[in-house]
Amino acid sequence: MANYNIEVRCQAGSNTKPNEDGYVIIQHERFVLSVTIDGVSGAGGLSGRFATDNLKRGIHTVMETYIAELDTDPTLPIDLKTILIYACNYHAEMTLQETGKRPDEMEPFERAGACLAATLVDFRYQEVQFVCLGDTLPYYMDKEGKIHFPFRDTVEKHDRKSIKLRTKALHKLLEERELTLDDIRNDEEQIAEINKLVRADKKVRQAVPNMRYRANKRFHFYTVLDGTKDSMRSIQKNYCKVSLDNVQSIGGSSDGLLYMLQNTRDNARAWRMTAKIAFRDGIDSLFQVIENLENYDPIGAVLPRMKRRDDKVIVLIRDITL
């Protein structure tokens, strides 16, 4: 019988908008499944919450079948790719019901989708399966305390272009108004106005739709689960497994918990900081660190990013023993 501890926390970045992040945790004597999900809104009116909820329902539905079959045949292999492809198909069907069109019939920027980090720990076959799409990353700590990332952040280089446009528009606005970060750090009214004006910049507004056109394309390596056939192929490409023998703890978190650095090119270091704090100090400490950084720079002047605060989700499976 395996032993482990699970920690989870999910929190909205805004008090006025729905939390588009979510998670699934399914525990069974044979396995534990963990999926952290970061919903991505479409410009056609479909929210990231729509995609997150569909994927959660799809995963729960297919796992009910798996569990029923395991009760009959405990040796049955469990395939994480199959689980997620089913959930992706479920999202495609719900999109058709909602809009009258399948995701493949929609423009890329119209589709609702999600980035996700999925982990299946199979105790019978002593392996850990991973799938990673976008900028929600899985990671694990081995028994010597070293942290490993099976995948890299595929959104980061595209995000960096959008952030560069936003930062340029922001500094131009601050210069025109002769303001510094220290002038407005504690002025909520000015912070809100500055962030609103920067979002309204024409190039900034167009940056995200332009980025969505690159989703799941062969030469862009930007993956998002949006119900298209391309996104289902991305599941196959972004899959791996490792032996459970040397795995002590496993994590998965959305980019809302990515440690903020002045140099946005140092994405790998930022993710390592996130995982290190989570494993060493726990998820509440990680949330506090990120919130302190958000409050220090509420407009993204020295810690560049697209949003003042993002939705956040993390799941940790800690101290696994067999």
Side-chain angles (χ1 to χ4, degrees):
M1 186 72 178
N3 293 304
Y4 55 88
N5 298 305
I6 288 185
E7 298 178 26
V8 60
R9 184 168 170 183
C10 187
Q11 182 174 304
S14 168
N15 294 325
T16 59
K17 296 179 181 178
N19 186 356
E20 295 186 332
D21 285 9
Y23 64 90
V24 174
I25 299 171
I26 299 176
Q27 297 171 268
H28 186 271
E29 63 181 11
R30 162 71 186 275
F31 68 85
V32 57
L33 171 68
S34 163
V35 187
T36 51
I37 306 170
D38 181 357
V40 178
S41 293
L46 293 178
S47 71
R49 184 76 245 174
F50 175 76
T52 297
D53 288 343
N54 288 339
L55 293 172
K56 287 169 64 176
R57 283 192 290 267
I59 291 168
H60 278 289
T61 300
V62 70
M63 290 311 296
E64 287 175 5
T65 301
Y66 258 119
I67 290 170
E69 292 178 353
L70 283 172
D71 291 340
T72 303
D73 180 7
T75 67
L76 181 75
I78 310 171
D79 182 40
L80 182 57
K81 300 187 298 296
T82 300
I83 294 165
L84 296 178
I85 288 171
Y86 180 95
C88 189
N89 272 312
Y90 182 90
H91 174 52
E93 289 300 320
M94 293 301 103
T95 301
L96 176 62
Q97 288 186 25
E98 184 73 17
T99 67
K101 293 191 289 186
R102 292 187 174 277
D104 278 301
E105 299 170 329
M106 304 168 73
E107 292 291 337
F109 62 86
E110 293 179 318
R111 304 171 191 143
C115 300
L116 61 79
T119 302
L120 179 75
V121 185
D122 190 325
F123 301 119
R124 181 180 184 88
Y125 293 106
Q126 296 191 24
E127 64 182 20
V128 185
Q129 300 178 46
F130 295 102
V131 168
C132 174
L133 297 175
D135 55 5
T136 297
L137 264 57
Y139 38 86
Y140 67 94
M141 178 185 287
D142 66 27
K143 292 182 179 177
E144 294 180 352
K146 185 178 179 181
I147 296 172
H148 302 264
F149 285 84
F151 304 93
R152 67 181 180 87
D153 182 338
T154 62
V155 178
E156 174 264 334
K157 74 172 184 178
H158 305 289
D159 252 349
R160 195 164 65 234
K161 296 175 183 177
S162 304
I163 291 170
K164 185 176 181 180
L165 290 171
R166 184 192 182 279
T167 302
K168 183 177 180 180
L170 171 66
H171 285 290
K172 180 180 178 183
L173 181 61
L174 293 176
E175 186 178 335
E176 289 172 352
R177 297 195 172 197
E178 298 183 343
L179 293 171
T180 67
L181 175 58
D182 289 335
D183 294 331
I184 65 173
R185 181 177 285 123
N186 298 312
D187 188 334
E188 283 296 326
E189 188 174 323
Q190 280 210 82
I191 290 170
E193 183 183 4
I194 292 291
N195 283 329
K196 182 178 179 180
L197 288 171
V198 172
R199 282 196 304 271
D201 180 89
K202 183 178 179 181
K203 290 183 178 180
V204 175
R205 281 202 324 270
Q206 193 57 37
V208 172
N210 286 344
M211 187 171 71
R212 298 282 167 77
Y213 272 106
R214 303 184 180 102
N216 304 311
K217 300 302 181 186
R218 181 179 176 187
F219 298 108
H220 291 294
F221 307 103
Y222 164 28
T223 52
V224 58
L225 199 60
D226 57 12
T228 61
K229 293 177 182 177
D230 281 338
S231 71
M232 293 182 207
R233 283 190 283 268
S234 292
I235 293 170
Q236 303 280 355
K237 295 175 183 175
N238 293 278
Y239 167 85
C240 73
K241 60 183 177 181
V242 300
S243 171
L244 184 54
D245 289 345
N246 196 35
V247 175
Q248 177 177 310
S249 299
I250 300 166
S253 51
S254 64
D255 67 320
L257 287 168
L258 179 62
Y259 192 89
M260 297 174 207
L261 299 170
Q262 285 182 287
N263 181 3
T264 57
R265 288 182 175 274
D266 206 353
N267 180 263
R269 178 174 168 238
W271 275 110
R272 285 196 301 272
M273 289 294 294
T274 292
K276 181 179 179 180
I277 295 168
F279 285 137
R280 183 190 64 198
D281 303 325
I283 59 178
D284 288 340
S285 293
L286 174 61
F287 269 72
Q288 189 60 61
V289 167
I290 300 302
E291 288 166 5
N292 288 344
L293 292 171
E294 290 171 338
N295 292 333
Y296 170 75
D297 183 9
I299 57 173
V302 295
L303 298 172
R305 57 194 188 277
M306 290 301 288
K307 299 178 183 178
R308 179 179 180 181
R309 295 187 184 92
D310 202 355
D311 299 334
K312 303 171 178 66
V313 63
I314 183 171
V315 177
L316 296 184
I317 306 170
R318 305 188 69 135
D319 304 321
I320 302 169
T321 57
L322 299 176

